[in-house]
Amino acid sequence: AAAARRLDAARAQQADEARVARRARRDARRTADDRSQKEQASRAWRRGVASVDAALRTLAASAGEAYGDAVAALRDILEAIVEKPDDDARRRLRCANAAFARDVDNFEGGRQVLFSAGFQLTHRSSGVEPAQDDEEDDWQVWESLLVLREPNPLSDGFDAWTAWFDNLKACHARLRDEAERLEASRPSKGLLAGAAPSWVDTKRSLY
């Protein structure tokens, strides 16, 4: 009788664990859908200076007194890329980086400024691979990144690269002008011109 009770208890525990696993898989699928929707929204964001202006208005309302530092940080991100557009580490930002979150990502409108310059949201797994027969890859830990893809002049065409770089320079110029306007009344804590921001992603495994 005792053995039967232990067996029943083990079976009940297995059933409970299975229910928990099914619930976690449903939650994981919803998480995957959320990631996909956010990535699509970043790709659909309109590029250009007009979009930077719209995003800056949102950022100003969200950041308050931190607006000047946020603008300076965004300016420095784009300035570093304009100076070295072929440096893929400067074109990849880790959203989990504490400095990036503090200066840009904690405020609504910060990401949108970068989307206007061509950045897109993507996700990278932590490197923990699921079992080969497990289709639910959302058991992995995912990291959010903002990535600015540089067109390849050979495969994408030189006109595509020129349009990409012209938009990047125009967005940087708009941020530079806004930072100068703000800095005229208050010194900024922005980075040195051309310096690679401290929050750039130094891992080169994404591409």
Side-chain angles (χ1 to χ4, degrees):
R5 286 196 296 272
R6 287 195 296 271
L7 181 59
D8 289 341
R11 287 173 175 170
Q13 182 178 354
Q14 290 176 349
D16 289 341
E17 291 174 351
R19 282 193 293 272
V20 170
R22 287 194 296 271
R23 188 182 307 116
R25 288 179 186 272
R26 288 195 298 270
D27 292 343
R29 283 193 290 273
R30 285 194 291 270
T31 301
D33 291 341
D34 182 62
R35 285 200 310 269
S36 177
Q37 290 173 4
K38 289 180 178 179
E39 290 178 358
Q40 291 175 10
S42 74
R43 291 193 293 268
W45 190 265
R46 185 180 295 275
R47 309 291 186 257
V49 173
S51 292
V52 172
D53 286 334
L56 285 177
R57 289 192 292 271
T58 301
L59 180 61
S62 174
E65 294 182 356
Y67 176 63
D69 290 337
V71 170
L74 289 162
R75 174 202 61 196
D76 294 339
I77 290 172
L78 296 193
E79 188 163 293
I81 300 171
V82 167
E83 291 206 349
K84 291 187 177 180
D86 58 343
D87 185 351
D88 65 341
R90 298 186 181 212
R91 293 184 281 104
R92 191 165 59 243
L93 310 175
R94 295 178 57 247
C95 298
N97 182 281
F100 178 70
R102 179 195 66 221
D103 294 338
V104 176
D105 211 28
N106 283 346
F107 308 116
E108 186 178 359
R111 286 191 185 187
Q112 285 72 21
V113 170
L114 295 171
F115 294 160
S116 302
F119 276 87
Q120 295 181 3
L121 176 66
T122 188
H123 295 86
R124 176 173 61 189
S125 89
S126 62
V128 179
E129 296 295 335
Q132 291 183 352
D133 59 349
D134 186 359
E135 296 180 356
E136 301 291 347
D137 64 348
D138 290 289
W139 291 106
Q140 305 177 67
V141 176
W142 294 85
E143 180 181 24
S144 299
L145 302 103
L146 296 177
V147 178
L148 178 62
R149 176 185 173 272
E150 179 186 13
N152 186 315
L154 296 179
S155 59
D156 299 319
F158 186 73
D159 288 345
W161 187 93
T162 300
W164 171 83
F165 194 56
D166 286 347
N167 179 64
L168 179 63
K169 290 189 295 183
C171 293
H172 166 255
R174 177 65 187 90
L175 291 170
R176 182 193 60 211
D177 291 345
E178 180 69 1
E180 289 176 353
R181 183 184 71 82
L182 296 169
E183 288 166 357
S185 58
R186 184 181 66 87
S188 168
K189 296 186 294 184
L191 300 171
L192 294 177
S198 61
W199 52 80
V200 296
D201 177 35
T202 56
K203 299 178 182 178
R204 296 178 178 270
S205 59
L206 187 61
Y207 297 112

